[in-house]
Amino acid sequence: MATYKAPVEDYLFVLHDVLRIQELDRLPGFSDLTPELTRPVLEGVARFCEDVWQPLNRIGDEEGCRLENGAVRTPTGFAEAYRLYCEAGWNKLSAPEEFGGAGLPGLIGIAAGEISVGSNAALSLYSGLTNAALATLHVTGSPWMIEHVMPKLVDGVWTGTMCLTEPHCGTDLRLMKTKAAEQPDGSFKITGTKIFISGGDHDLSDNIIHLVLAKLPNAEGKYTDDLSTVNFFLVSKSHIDPETGRLSHRNGVAVAGVEKKMGLKGNATCVLNFDEAVAYRLGGNQSGGKSSSAAGMSGMFLMMNRARLGTGIAALGVSEAAYQNSADYARERIAGKSEKGSTKPHAIVSYPDVRRMLIKQRSFNEGARALGTWVSLLIDTQRCSPDTEERKRCGELAQLLTPIIKAYFSDGAFNGTNAAVQIYGGHGYIRDNGVEQFVRDSRIYQIYEGANGVQAFDLVTRKLAGEGANGFASLLAEIRNVAAECDRDGLREYSEPLLAARDVLTRAVDWVGAKADHKSPYDVAAASYDIMNIFGAVVIGLMWARMAHVANSKLKLSEGDPEFLNRKLVLARYWMQRELPMTHGLFERATLGADGMMDLADVAL
Amino acid sequence: MATYKAPVEDYLFVLHDVLRIQELDRLPGFSDLTPELTRPVLEGVARFCEDVWQPLNRIGDEEGCRLENGAVRTPTGFAEAYRLYCEAGWNKLSAPEEFGGAGLPGLIGIAAGEISVGSNAALSLYSGLTNAALATLHVTGSPWMIEHVMPKLVDGVWTGTMCLTEPHCGTDLRLMKTKAAEQPDGSFKITGTKIFISGGDHDLSDNIIHLVLAKLPNAEGKYTDDLSTVNFFLVSKSHIDPETGRLSHRNGVAVAGVEKKMGLKGNATCVLNFDEAVAYRLGGNQSGGKSSSAAGMSGMFLMMNRARLGTGIAALGVSEAAYQNSADYARERIAGKSEKGSTKPHAIVSYPDVRRMLIKQRSFNEGARALGTWVSLLIDTQRCSPDTEERKRCGELAQLLTPIIKAYFSDGAFNGTNAAVQIYGGHGYIRDNGVEQFVRDSRIYQIYEGANGVQAFDLVTRKLAGEGANGFASLLAEIRNVAAECDRDGLREYSEPLLAARDVLTRAVDWVGAKADHKSPYDVAAASYDIMNIFGAVVIGLMWARMAHVANSKLKLSEGDPEFLNRKLVLARYWMQRELPMTHGLFERATLGADGMMDLADVAL
C-alpha cells in the first residue's frame, strides 16, 4: 500500500527562507504570515490529508464512480471525507473572508492544494475546480451570484465545474456547437452536449455550478464559427432563485454518462446534456450593468489560467507521492551486493542507476515546488500590490511562466511516477503496491487545460510577443540577480551553469523573434516543444540557485537543520550539472526549424 | 476502438531489400527465402492476427484472467483464438521440422512475433514464452524431453513458462529460496514460491512446462547464498511418464493467486507454489549423460537472452499499433485552421507539434524493426553458418546488441504509446478508444527480463569487456562500411551524422574502458543509462543509413513504390538530424561520473 507524508518542511523553507513572505508587509495580509501562522495551517491540512484522504486513494481507484438512476455515486468514503475537509476549512484557506473564507493569500491555498492532491488526486479535484470557478465568479458574476452563489462555493456545500469541451472539439472554441438563446427576462437557455466534465455530477454537494461556454446567434439569428459569438454562462444543476438564493427544481442538465478512464477514477468525468437549461451570462459588472461577451470570456481565460497553474501543481503532488514511495522501497528492497566489493546484500538504493532516478525525481519535485510557489506569489502580488509597476511586472512574469508550469511540471511528474514504478520493478506493475496508480493518475495532467503541445505553442508565440517580451526581460533580470547573489558568496558552481543555460534560452528566444530568418512558417511551432523544455530547465535552475544560496547562508550561520540544508545543495548541484546542460542539444534541435519534419504527406503518416 | 494493420511491406523491405536474405545461400534454409515464400507467410499471419486476435485485445484488457477453483480462466475467446493460431501453424514457423515445426529461420518467427504482439500483446505472450522454453529445452533437455516434450510445445498443445522471480528477489539469483532435493531415482523434488509467472496457469493448453530455478544443498546439506548452487529444472504441471510421454495426475504445483496488474491483463501472471513438485534437472547432454549445473544455467541464460530480444520486439509491436491509431486519429480529428492562414478547419495532423510526435514514433518504429530483424539474422547466422569465424563474429555482435534492444526498444515504445495518447488528447485518456491500453500494456517491457537499468549496467560492464570488445569492434566496422556506401552514392546527409554520433559513442566506450581515470567505483554504473541511450541512437542510426542507401538506390533504378521509398528517406533524415545529435549531451552527462549523484545519505533520499 502506498503512503504519503506532506512536504510541510519543504514548504516552510520555500515560503519563509527563500521567498521570505513574512517580510512582504506591503502586500495586504502578508505581515501575518509568519511561520507561527503557516506551520500550524500546513501541518493541519497535512495531518488531515494523510489520515483521512490518503487511505481513500486506492479505494477511489478500485471502485471508480458510477451512474445510478441518472445520478453519479462517488467511491466509498469520498462524500464524508469531502465534508470533513470543508468543515475543517481546508478548502477555503485562500477564499475571501467576506464570503466565509480564511482570507489567506493565494499561495497558502496552493500549497495546501499540492498536499491535498498528493494524498488523493481524484478527491482533491472536486474542490480544486470549485476554487477555479469561485475565482472566475468573483470577477465576472452578477451581484446576485456574488451574494448567493459565492458563499455556497466557498463553504463547499456547492461545487463548481468548467464545461468547455464538446465531442468534436476541444482546443478550438470556434467549432463549438452548444447554443445559447436569450430569453425575454435577460436569462438564456442553453442546449448542447459537453464532454470530459470533471466533477460534472456527484454526491458530494447539494448543488453544482456549471460554468459553460456556448454560442449566441449573430444578428441574422445564425450560429457561426466566429469566436466572438462564444460566451460564458452560469448554469446551476438545480434552479436558484436570484432573489433569495434558494434552490428549487432541477434545471435542464442531465448526466448522459460517466467516462471509464485510465486513471483518476475517483473523480467523475461526465458527459452532460444541456436541454434548454436556464443560464445566466457571465461578465456583468458587479453594479449590475449589462454583461459583455468579452468580460465573460476574459473570466473564462482567468479560470483557465488558474486551472493551468493548478494542473502543474497537482502533477507535482502526485509526483511527490510517487517519489516518496519509491525512495522508501529503494531503501528497503534487498538485492545483491553493493559495488564496494562487500559480500553482504544491500538495498537497491545503493545502486547508482536507482540513485540516478531518485535524485532526478527529488530535484525536479523540490525545484518545481519552489517555482510553483514563487509564481503563486507573483499572482498574489499582481492582485494586491499597492504598486502599479510591481503589479504589472508580476502579472507579466506569471503569464509567461504559467504554460511552463502546466507543461513542464506535468511532463516531469509523469516521468517521475514512471521512475517510481521502474524502481519497484515487477512490484510496481502490479496494482497492490499502489505505485502504478500514480502513473495512470498523473497521465491526465499532460492533457488537461490544453495539451502540453498547445502550452508550448502558446509560450513561444503569444507569451513571448507583446507584453510577453516584458515578462521575459523580467525573468532575465531575476536570473541576473540570483546569479550575482551566488557569485558574491562564491557559489559559482550554481551561478555559472545557470548563466550558461540562460544564454541558451536567450538565443532560443532571439531565434523565435527573428522571423525573417525562418525558412518556413512552421519553424517556430516545430521548435516550440524543445524551447518549452529549455525554459522549464532554466526556471527550475533559477529556483535551485536561489535555494542553494539560501541554504548556504543558513549553513554558514548555523541556522536550521544541516541535513536538510545540505540536501538542498546536493539537489541543486544535480540540476546544475545534469539537467541544465541538456538545453544545448534542445537548442540545436529547435533551431533546425521545421525542415524535414513536415515532409511526409499527410496520407502517408 | 483501436485497429491494427501488420507492417508486412516494411518487413519485406527489411528482409529482402536491406538484409537481402534471399541471397544468403551459405546459411541452411535461406536460399528458399524469396519474397515469393516470405510474402504469403507474413500476409497469412497478418491476416489471421488482424482478423482473429486483434478484436480480442480490448476484451482481454476488460475481463482479465481469474482464478476459479484453483485454475486460471483466460478472457473470453482467448483459448479458441490460441488454438486456431496453433492449428494454422503461426506459432511454429521457426520451430525445427523434426519436431513438427515449419523449420524457417528464426528471423521469420520473430517477424511473425511482432505482428502477433501488435494485434494482441497479452495473448501472444503465451506462445512467446513457449518458444523461449522450447529453445532452451532443445539445448538442455534430456533425451526423453526432446522426444516427448518438444513436439508438444512445438504443436502448442502444451505451453511453457520461466519461473525465476521469488517474492523477495528478482535480479539477484543468490538470494533465491526455492529448494531442490535430489531423489534416489535421479529426479528432484522442488519446494518454494515463485511470483510474476507469466502464463503460470491458464486454460489454453493441456499441460504447462515450467522451467524453474532452484537451489541444491551444498556438501553439508545446507542451502547457501552461493550462485553455484542455483540449478535449472523442468517441472511439469501434470506428471509425464518419461517412457511414453503420457500425462497422468497433477504434480505439486498450485496457483496461489493471479496478480492484478496495470496492463497486459489478458495474460495470467501467477503466484505458483511448488510443494515437493517432481522436477528434472536441465543441462544433460542429449546422449543421456549426467546433467550439469553449469549447462543448465547456460540454458537459462540462453532463454533469458531470447526473452530479452523478444521483449524488445514485443515492445515494438505495441508501439507500432499505438502509432497507427494516433496517425489515423491525427488525420481525422478536425481542429482549428492550419498555419498557412487558411480559414478552413484542418485536421490536427497539420500542426507541427503533432507531426513531431508522429514522425518520431514512426522513425523509431521502423528503425527498431530493421535493427531487431538484423539482430535476429545475426543470431540465425551464429547458429547455422558453416563459417566458424562468421559464427563467432555474429554471436558477439548479437550479444552486444541484445541489452540495447531490450532497454532502448522498450523505453522508445513506452514513449511512443504515450505520444499516441497525447495526440488523442482527452480522447486518449478514456478507455473507449483503446490507446491508453497500449501505454499500460507496454509499460511492463521496461521491467521484464531485467529492468532497463540492469540492461544498461550489463551493457557497459559485461558486454564491453572481454569478448564484448570484439562485438564493439564489429559494430564500428559495420558503421564504417555503411557510411562508406552512403558516401559512394553522395549520401553524406546520412553518413556524416552517423559518423559524428559514432565518434561520440567511441569516446564514451573509451571512457568506460579507462578505469584508471575514474574517481569513483560508481562512475561507470552512474553513466550506464546515458551510454545505453547513446548506443541505441547510434545503432538505429546505422539501420537508417542502410535503409536510406537502399531506398535511394531503388529510387534511382525506378524500382519499388516511390512513396514508400521516399518516406524512408524522410524518416532517415529525421533520425539523423534530430535524434543522433542528442548523443552529445548524453556523453557530457555520462562522463561526469558519479560525482554529485551518490552524495545523498541513503536515509535522506
Side-chain angles (χ1 to χ4, degrees):
Chain A
M1 274 291 272
T3 59
Y4 177 67
K5 186 96 186 61
V8 172
E9 295 305 323
D10 204 40
Y11 264 114
L12 293 171
F13 174 73
V14 172
L15 292 171
H16 297 296
D17 293 315
V18 181
L19 301 177
R20 305 187 77 78
I21 57 167
Q22 66 278 17
E23 296 168 9
L24 302 175
D25 294 341
R26 68 187 184 286
L27 301 180
F30 273 71
S31 56
D32 298 339
L33 288 184
T34 61
E36 289 66 42
L37 185 146
T38 54
R39 177 180 286 279
V41 168
L42 293 178
E43 284 181 347
V45 68
R47 201 171 323 114
F48 178 88
C49 288
E50 290 162 10
D51 294 350
V52 183
W53 276 28
Q54 196 276 337
L56 298 173
N57 191 39
R58 179 87 197 284
I59 293 168
D61 186 58
E62 291 292 336
E63 291 186 10
C65 297
R66 58 191 194 283
L67 186 59
E68 278 179 5
N69 305 319
V72 173
R73 302 288 300 266
T74 57
T76 306
F78 268 40
E80 173 71 359
Y82 172 77
R83 191 181 60 76
L84 293 170
Y85 180 78
C86 296
E87 277 180 15
W90 305 127
N91 66 321
K92 43 185 159 284
L93 291 173
S94 296
E97 285 178 281
E98 56 182 307
F99 302 109
L104 292 169
L107 85 176
I108 303 297
I110 285 171
E114 190 212 312
I115 293 170
S116 307
V117 176
S119 72
N120 192 324
L123 181 48
S124 74
L125 187 55
Y126 294 102
S127 67
L129 285 168
T130 301
N131 284 331
L134 198 59
T136 302
L137 221 53
H138 200 185
V139 296
T140 64
S142 313
W144 73 266
M145 300 174 190
I146 306 292
E147 185 184 349
H148 299 305
V149 180
M150 286 280 292
K152 298 288 191 183
L153 291 175
V154 168
D155 196 50
V157 290
W158 295 1
T159 54
T161 75
M162 306 167 31
C163 301
L164 280 54
T165 305
E166 300 185 4
H168 61 289
C169 84
T171 301
D172 189 359
L173 306 181
R174 293 167 309 164
L175 304 181
M176 210 154 264
K177 288 182 180 163
T178 298
K179 294 171 182 177
E182 190 158 11
Q183 304 300 302
D185 67 355
S187 71
F188 293 80
K189 288 204 167 166
I190 281 186
T191 299
T193 298
K194 294 287 180 178
I195 64 169
F196 300 158
I197 309 308
S198 298
D201 195 56
H202 54 76
D203 49 11
L204 306 186
S205 67
D206 302 337
N207 189 33
I208 300 175
I209 299 296
H210 303 291
L211 302 188
V212 185
L213 281 182
K215 276 181 183 170
L216 286 176
N218 64 12
E220 289 84 50
K222 284 201 178 148
Y223 292 91
T224 67
D225 280 355
D226 185 348
L227 194 61
S228 71
T229 68
V230 179
N231 278 259
F232 203 34
F233 299 89
L234 180 153
V235 176
S236 179
K237 177 176 172 180
S238 294
H239 282 283
I240 305 168
D241 179 343
E243 296 297 314
T244 63
R246 227 169 280 144
L247 294 179
S248 56
H249 57 290
R250 284 288 297 272
N251 198 354
V253 191
V255 191
V258 177
E259 302 287 3
K260 292 181 81 175
K261 307 191 300 290
M262 183 182 191
L264 219 65
K265 296 183 182 186
N267 194 279
T269 304
C270 300
V271 180
L272 294 184
N273 283 338
F274 293 83
D275 183 10
E276 303 224 320
V278 172
Y280 304 94
R281 184 151 74 160
L282 296 169
N285 61 52
Q286 291 179 21
S287 56
K290 199 166 159 54
S291 61
S292 85
S293 165
M297 289 304 282
S298 92
M300 193 278 292
F301 284 113
L302 171 78
M303 181 172 78
M304 281 296 286
N305 267 330
R306 255 197 93 99
R308 290 202 281 173
L309 175 62
T311 298
I313 303 292
L316 168 61
V318 180
S319 183
E320 174 67 29
Y323 164 73
Q324 291 180 11
N325 283 280
S326 58
D328 287 347
Y329 186 80
R331 278 191 298 268
E332 287 157 17
R333 174 75 179 183
I334 299 297
K337 61 175 196 293
S338 79
E339 296 303 297
K340 288 168 189 156
S342 155
T343 54
K344 269 212 274 181
H346 278 63
I348 60 170
V349 73
S350 63
Y351 289 134
D353 196 64
V354 170
R355 194 66 74 119
R356 173 184 68 83
M357 291 188 269
L358 288 170
I359 198 168
K360 179 171 182 163
Q361 286 183 78
R362 185 159 190 159
S363 183
F364 171 78
N365 287 350
E366 295 190 7
R369 182 170 298 121
L371 179 62
T373 310
W374 179 47
V375 173
S376 305
L377 175 60
L378 292 173
I379 292 170
D380 285 338
T381 313
Q382 171 194 19
R383 210 176 289 155
C384 66
S385 168
D387 176 344
T388 319
E389 197 44 52
E390 186 182 37
R391 282 207 305 276
K392 182 170 172 297
R393 193 179 57 79
C394 291
E396 288 161 351
L397 250 176
Q399 281 280 325
L400 174 70
L401 296 172
T402 297
I404 300 166
I405 287 185
K406 157 58 171 89
Y408 197 73
F409 283 22
S410 57
D411 283 355
F414 185 66
N415 293 338
T417 58
N418 273 295
V421 166
Q422 197 66 19
I423 289 166
Y424 271 78
H427 296 273
Y429 195 68
I430 61 171
R431 299 190 61 176
D432 278 348
N433 291 311
V435 279
E436 59 84 40
Q437 185 188 340
F438 297 132
V439 173
R440 290 184 291 103
D441 284 357
S442 70
R443 184 63 185 84
I444 191 57
Y445 302 122
Q446 297 171 297
I447 297 170
Y448 268 169
E449 320 311 342
N452 284 356
V454 176
Q455 305 295 331
F457 185 72
D458 174 58
L459 172 67
V460 298
T461 53
R462 286 188 285 275
K463 293 296 188 288
L464 290 177
E467 301 277 285
N470 299 332
F472 186 62
S474 299
L475 178 64
L476 293 181
E478 191 71 29
I479 293 173
R480 202 161 43 237
N481 292 342
V482 169
E485 271 182 352
C486 286
D487 283 351
R488 267 196 300 278
D489 289 357
L491 302 173
R492 285 187 203 284
E493 61 176 322
Y494 308 106
S495 58
E496 282 173 4
L498 176 63
L499 291 174
R502 189 263 327 255
D503 290 345
V504 174
L505 176 62
T506 306
R507 283 159 61 211
V509 170
D510 288 348
W511 177 85
V512 168
K515 289 210 172 28
D517 292 352
H518 295 156
K519 281 178 283 182
S520 146
Y522 295 122
D523 279 354
V524 169
S528 58
Y529 217 91
D530 283 331
I531 293 176
M532 184 275 288
N533 278 324
I534 297 173
F535 259 105
V538 170
V539 291
I540 288 193
L542 166 66
M543 298 316 292
W544 271 122
R546 282 181 83 164
M547 290 194 280
H549 179 257
V550 169
N552 180 69
S553 305
K554 285 174 69 87
L555 280 166
K556 276 202 292 195
L557 295 168
S558 299
E559 266 181 22
D561 173 5
E563 184 181 301
F564 179 94
L565 297 168
N566 277 313
R567 190 164 64 230
K568 288 288 179 197
L569 296 179
V570 171
L571 293 170
R573 231 173 274 134
Y574 167 82
W575 197 266
M576 299 301 167
Q577 291 177 353
R578 294 176 192 265
E579 297 298 334
L580 284 185
M582 304 308 277
T583 53
H584 291 281
L586 296 173
F587 173 80
E588 297 301 332
R589 186 162 67 184
T591 51
L592 291 172
D595 214 29
M597 222 163 75
M598 303 299 286
D599 292 352
L600 291 188
D602 291 1
V603 290
L605 261 172
Chain B
M1 275 291 269
T3 58
Y4 177 66
K5 185 96 186 63
V8 172
E9 295 306 323
D10 205 40
Y11 264 114
L12 293 172
F13 174 74
V14 171
L15 292 171
H16 297 295
D17 293 317
V18 181
L19 301 177
R20 306 188 76 80
I21 56 168
Q22 66 278 17
E23 295 169 9
L24 302 174
D25 293 341
R26 68 188 184 286
L27 301 180
F30 273 69
S31 57
D32 297 340
L33 287 184
T34 62
E36 287 67 42
L37 185 146
T38 54
R39 176 180 286 279
V41 168
L42 293 177
E43 284 181 347
V45 69
R47 202 171 321 116
F48 178 88
C49 289
E50 290 162 9
D51 293 350
V52 182
W53 275 28
Q54 197 276 337
L56 298 173
N57 191 41
R58 179 86 197 285
I59 293 167
D61 186 57
E62 291 293 335
E63 292 186 11
C65 297
R66 57 190 196 283
L67 186 59
E68 277 179 8
N69 305 320
V72 173
R73 301 288 302 266
T74 57
T76 306
F78 268 40
E80 172 70 1
Y82 172 77
R83 190 182 60 76
L84 293 171
Y85 180 78
C86 296
E87 277 180 15
W90 306 128
N91 67 321
K92 43 185 159 284
L93 290 173
S94 297
E97 284 177 283
E98 55 183 305
F99 302 109
L104 292 169
L107 87 176
I108 303 297
I110 284 170
E114 189 212 314
I115 293 170
S116 306
V117 177
S119 72
N120 192 324
L123 181 48
S124 73
L125 187 55
Y126 295 100
S127 66
L129 285 167
T130 301
N131 284 330
L134 196 61
T136 303
L137 222 52
H138 199 186
V139 295
T140 65
S142 313
W144 72 265
M145 300 175 191
I146 305 293
E147 184 184 350
H148 298 306
V149 179
M150 285 282 290
K152 298 288 190 184
L153 292 175
V154 168
D155 196 48
V157 291
W158 295 2
T159 55
T161 75
M162 305 167 32
C163 300
L164 280 54
T165 305
E166 299 185 3
H168 61 289
C169 85
T171 301
D172 190 357
L173 305 181
R174 292 166 310 164
L175 304 181
M176 213 153 263
K177 288 182 180 164
T178 298
K179 295 170 181 178
E182 191 159 9
Q183 304 301 304
D185 66 354
S187 71
F188 294 80
K189 287 203 167 168
I190 282 187
T191 299
T193 299
K194 295 286 180 178
I195 64 169
F196 301 158
I197 309 307
S198 298
D201 195 55
H202 54 75
D203 50 11
L204 305 187
S205 66
D206 302 338
N207 188 34
I208 300 176
I209 299 297
H210 303 291
L211 302 189
V212 186
L213 281 182
K215 277 181 183 169
L216 286 176
N218 63 13
E220 288 85 52
K222 283 202 178 145
Y223 292 90
T224 67
D225 280 354
D226 186 346
L227 194 60
S228 72
T229 68
V230 179
N231 278 259
F232 202 35
F233 299 89
L234 179 153
V235 176
S236 179
K237 178 177 171 179
S238 293
H239 283 285
I240 305 169
D241 180 342
E243 297 297 313
T244 64
R246 227 169 279 144
L247 294 179
S248 56
H249 58 291
R250 284 287 297 271
N251 198 354
V253 190
V255 190
V258 177
E259 302 287 2
K260 291 180 81 176
K261 306 191 300 291
M262 183 183 192
L264 219 66
K265 297 183 182 184
N267 195 278
T269 304
C270 300
V271 179
L272 294 184
N273 283 337
F274 293 82
D275 183 12
E276 304 223 318
V278 173
Y280 304 94
R281 184 152 73 160
L282 296 170
N285 61 52
Q286 291 180 21
S287 57
K290 198 165 158 53
S291 61
S292 86
S293 166
M297 289 304 281
S298 91
M300 195 278 291
F301 285 113
L302 171 78
M303 181 172 77
M304 280 297 286
N305 268 330
R306 254 198 93 101
R308 290 202 282 173
L309 174 64
T311 298
I313 301 292
L316 168 62
V318 179
S319 183
E320 174 67 28
Y323 163 73
Q324 291 179 10
N325 283 279
S326 59
D328 287 347
Y329 186 79
R331 278 191 297 268
E332 286 158 18
R333 174 74 177 181
I334 299 298
K337 61 177 195 292
S338 79
E339 296 302 296
K340 287 169 191 157
S342 155
T343 53
K344 269 211 272 176
H346 278 62
I348 61 171
V349 72
S350 62
Y351 289 135
D353 196 64
V354 170
R355 194 65 74 119
R356 171 184 69 82
M357 291 189 269
L358 288 169
I359 199 167
K360 179 171 182 162
Q361 287 183 76
R362 186 161 189 159
S363 184
F364 171 77
N365 288 350
E366 296 190 6
R369 183 170 298 122
L371 180 61
T373 310
W374 180 47
V375 173
S376 304
L377 175 60
L378 291 173
I379 292 170
D380 284 338
T381 312
Q382 172 194 19
R383 209 175 294 154
C384 65
S385 168
D387 175 345
T388 320
E389 198 45 53
E390 185 181 36
R391 280 206 306 275
K392 181 169 172 298
R393 192 180 58 81
C394 290
E396 289 161 350
L397 250 176
Q399 281 280 325
L400 174 71
L401 296 172
T402 296
I404 301 166
I405 287 185
K406 157 57 171 89
Y408 196 74
F409 282 21
S410 58
D411 284 355
F414 185 66
N415 293 338
T417 59
N418 273 294
V421 166
Q422 197 66 18
I423 289 166
Y424 271 78
H427 296 274
Y429 195 68
I430 60 172
R431 300 190 59 176
D432 279 348
N433 291 310
V435 279
E436 59 84 42
Q437 185 189 340
F438 297 132
V439 172
R440 291 184 291 102
D441 284 356
S442 70
R443 184 64 186 83
I444 191 58
Y445 302 122
Q446 296 172 297
I447 297 169
Y448 269 168
E449 320 311 343
N452 284 356
V454 176
Q455 304 296 330
F457 185 73
D458 174 58
L459 173 66
V460 298
T461 53
R462 285 188 286 275
K463 294 296 188 289
L464 290 178
E467 302 277 285
N470 300 334
F472 186 62
S474 298
L475 178 64
L476 293 181
E478 191 71 29
I479 293 173
R480 202 163 41 237
N481 292 343
V482 169
E485 270 182 351
C486 286
D487 283 351
R488 266 197 299 279
D489 288 357
L491 301 174
R492 286 187 202 283
E493 62 176 321
Y494 308 106
S495 58
E496 282 174 3
L498 175 63
L499 291 173
R502 189 264 327 254
D503 290 346
V504 174
L505 176 62
T506 306
R507 283 159 60 210
V509 171
D510 287 348
W511 177 86
V512 168
K515 288 211 169 33
D517 292 352
H518 296 156
K519 282 178 283 183
S520 149
Y522 295 122
D523 279 354
V524 168
S528 58
Y529 216 90
D530 283 332
I531 294 175
M532 184 274 288
N533 277 322
I534 296 173
F535 259 106
V538 170
V539 290
I540 287 194
L542 166 66
M543 298 316 292
W544 270 122
R546 282 180 83 164
M547 288 194 280
H549 180 257
V550 169
N552 180 70
S553 304
K554 285 175 68 88
L555 280 166
K556 277 202 291 195
L557 295 169
S558 300
E559 267 181 21
D561 173 4
E563 185 182 299
F564 179 94
L565 297 168
N566 277 311
R567 189 163 65 230
K568 288 287 178 198
L569 296 179
V570 171
L571 294 169
R573 232 174 272 134
Y574 166 83
W575 198 266
M576 298 302 167
Q577 292 177 352
R578 294 177 191 266
E579 298 297 334
L580 285 185
M582 305 308 278
T583 53
H584 291 282
L586 296 173
F587 173 80
E588 297 300 333
R589 185 161 69 185
T591 52
L592 290 172
D595 213 27
M597 222 162 74
M598 303 299 287
D599 293 350
L600 292 187
D602 291 1
V603 290
L605 260 173

Short mmCIF file of all heavy atoms in Angstrom, two decimals, chain B residues 112 383 573:
data_model
loop_
_atom_site.label_atom_id
_atom_site.label_comp_id
_atom_site.label_asym_id
_atom_site.label_seq_id
_atom_site.Cartn_x
_atom_site.Cartn_y
_atom_site.Cartn_z
N ALA B 112 7.00 -12.60 -37.39
CA ALA B 112 5.62 -13.01 -37.09
C ALA B 112 5.28 -12.67 -35.65
O ALA B 112 4.14 -12.31 -35.33
CB ALA B 112 5.44 -14.50 -37.36
N ARG B 383 24.03 -19.40 -35.31
CA ARG B 383 23.58 -20.77 -35.06
C ARG B 383 23.95 -21.70 -36.20
O ARG B 383 24.30 -22.85 -35.97
CB ARG B 383 22.06 -20.76 -34.86
CG ARG B 383 21.54 -21.87 -33.97
CD ARG B 383 20.05 -21.72 -33.71
NE ARG B 383 19.73 -20.54 -32.93
CZ ARG B 383 18.56 -19.90 -32.97
NH1 ARG B 383 17.60 -20.31 -33.76
NH2 ARG B 383 18.36 -18.83 -32.22
N ARG B 573 16.24 10.88 -42.45
CA ARG B 573 16.73 12.25 -42.21
C ARG B 573 16.31 12.73 -40.82
O ARG B 573 17.07 13.38 -40.13
CB ARG B 573 16.14 13.17 -43.28
CG ARG B 573 17.16 14.00 -44.00
CD ARG B 573 16.52 14.76 -45.13
NE ARG B 573 16.49 14.01 -46.37
CZ ARG B 573 15.43 13.89 -47.18
NH1 ARG B 573 14.27 14.47 -46.88
NH2 ARG B 573 15.52 13.20 -48.29
#
